[in-house]
Amino acid sequence: MPPRRSPAVPAGQHPRQPGRAARLAAVVERDGGTCIWCGRGFGPLVAATTEHVVPRVKGGPSWLENEVAACRRCNADRGHRPPVDWLEECERRGWAPDAPRLARALAALGEAIERVGGQRRARPYLDAQLRRVRRRFPEAAPDRRRTVAP
């Protein structure tokens, strides 16, 4: 059987994403071997998962730019809460959340949406989260004021 060819990606569309295991490996390599929310290192007792920064129910795409590495406990506990709310909850619990990594993830998603387009439902949610992370953690946030164009 001949190998499957991936079709050319038309301009303005996001390329096809790799499978779940490949996405997890890419996210862990990009973000490091710790949970973004509690700071625990991944290993045999702490399993890594990918988590959508902008939840799918809020219009977040299934793109690598919208995924971060999180432990199963944090991924399950967060549910569909906004990322800045969950970051604040993690601080209240005494954990060591990574606000700069969250700010970078939100900014990278905004840039990907600018580049590719679409994602009408995710844009206002993303803009609000970027404003909140800048206000709450000014040292962590990139200095761009408006990441996602209307």
Side-chain angles (χ1 to χ4, degrees), residues 1-149:
M1 178 179 273
R4 294 176 77 184
R5 293 187 207 183
S6 58
V9 178
Q13 284 189 344
H14 204 274
R16 185 175 174 91
Q17 295 294 300
R20 182 177 293 182
R23 283 197 329 263
L24 176 59
V27 167
V28 169
E29 182 178 323
R30 179 191 70 203
D31 294 343
T34 61
C35 175
I36 188 172
W37 306 118
C38 67
R40 294 189 304 169
F42 301 127
L45 298 177
V46 180
T49 63
T50 58
E51 181 173 43
H52 292 94
V53 177
V54 175
R56 300 274 310 171
V57 298
K58 300 293 185 182
S62 284
W63 299 348
L64 281 173
E65 295 89 354
N66 191 32
E67 293 181 344
V68 292
C71 67
R72 286 180 192 241
R73 175 189 69 183
C74 291
N75 198 342
D77 284 355
R78 178 183 168 206
H80 302 302
R81 291 186 216 183
V84 178
D85 288 354
W86 182 241
L87 193 74
E88 292 169 349
E89 174 62 25
C90 292
E91 286 181 333
R92 277 191 291 276
R93 293 181 181 193
W95 297 344
D98 193 344
R101 190 185 333 171
L102 176 62
R104 284 191 307 270
L106 289 168
L109 177 58
E111 291 166 3
I113 290 174
E114 278 183 13
R115 188 175 59 251
V116 176
Q119 307 304 320
R120 266 184 267 154
R121 278 186 47 216
R123 287 177 183 216
Y125 184 90
L126 178 61
D127 280 343
Q129 291 304 303
L130 279 166
R131 280 191 306 273
R132 288 187 64 201
V133 80
R134 283 188 191 110
R135 199 173 315 125
R136 177 75 170 83
F137 305 98
E139 70 285 350
D143 198 23
R144 293 184 61 193
R145 287 296 169 226
R146 179 137 178 102
T147 302
V148 180

